[in-house]
Amino acid sequence: ITAVLLGAAAVSVLLLSCSGGSSGNEEPTSETGVINAGFENDKAEANSPKGWTVLGDKTVVSVKNGGYEGQYALSLVPSATCSTTVQQNVTGLTDGYYTLEFYAKSSGGQTCCYVSAGNSDSEMEMTSLQKSENTWIQTIVRGVKVEGGTCKIVIGIQSENGTWALIDNLKLTKT
């Protein structure tokens, strides 16, 4: 399900995203260059995933046990009203269109909780996470445009205390 969120909540979260990128010398963990796509590179629970940039309330983000595949997943758990994004610029891609697949669990009830990908903040394709507290749901963002060999992936949440989301196994594939 691809959706475009309109309104002040979605706009305020998207404005938080700015050029980030990978940090360090981590190796890509999928065939299309996403670093730490399954959140296994830390090899332990961690406060911030290797290869990803966190903007906003950093206490919301962690790597936790209980991944879809492998041991770990990205966890977003607000303890107060917040807007936070976790993002990565994937480079070295062939220009064209891609799909971004991933697995997610979510409590639901967030103002917005989404995964987006694209060439720039104004050209992002987005999907909102469905409520699914017990079952991992495979989710796809289609029609992701890559120009100049770069794709920005943004995982965002705007919410209050008591909600959560888990993301795992991101896979960017040329269509």
Side-chain angles (χ1 to χ4, degrees):
I1 300 172
T2 300
V4 177
L5 299 176
L6 299 176
V11 172
S12 66
V13 172
L14 287 174
L15 290 176
L16 283 174
S17 58
C18 62
S19 293
S22 63
S23 60
N25 296 319
E26 297 88 2
E27 292 296 317
T29 53
S30 75
E31 68 277 4
T32 54
V34 179
I35 293 172
N36 203 6
F39 304 98
E40 301 294 320
N41 288 11
D42 294 287
K43 297 181 175 42
E45 291 192 0
N47 291 331
S48 181
K50 287 183 178 178
W52 294 84
T53 301
V54 179
L55 299 174
D57 185 349
K58 291 176 177 27
T59 65
V60 170
V61 179
S62 63
V63 175
K64 295 284 187 190
N65 277 317
Y68 169 75
E69 188 174 277
Q71 190 169 354
Y72 303 104
L74 177 69
S75 174
L76 305 169
V77 183
S79 60
T81 301
C82 72
S83 294
T84 301
T85 63
V86 180
Q87 51 193 280
Q88 182 180 137
N89 285 333
V90 180
T91 59
L93 301 172
T94 302
D95 289 356
Y97 287 89
Y98 288 73
T99 59
L100 176 63
E101 299 177 46
F102 61 95
Y103 289 85
K105 285 184 178 181
S106 173
S107 65
Q110 301 94 345
T111 303
C112 67
C113 190
Y114 66 92
V115 175
S116 63
N119 205 45
S120 67
D121 286 341
S122 62
E123 295 186 63
M124 301 290 275
E125 298 298 324
M126 177 188 304
T127 189
S128 297
L129 299 189
Q130 299 176 23
K131 179 180 180 178
S132 178
E133 295 181 359
N134 300 312
T135 304
W136 287 96
I137 296 178
Q138 183 181 28
T139 308
I140 301 172
V141 181
R142 290 181 169 76
V144 176
K145 185 177 182 181
V146 171
E147 288 182 334
T150 300
C151 178
K152 182 179 188 176
I153 299 172
V154 179
I155 302 165
I157 189 167
Q158 182 173 12
S159 191
E160 298 178 4
N161 186 19
T163 65
W164 55 269
L166 295 171
I167 307 286
D168 202 9
N169 290 18
L170 290 103
K171 181 179 177 186
L172 190 61
T173 307
K174 192 167 189 323
T175 55

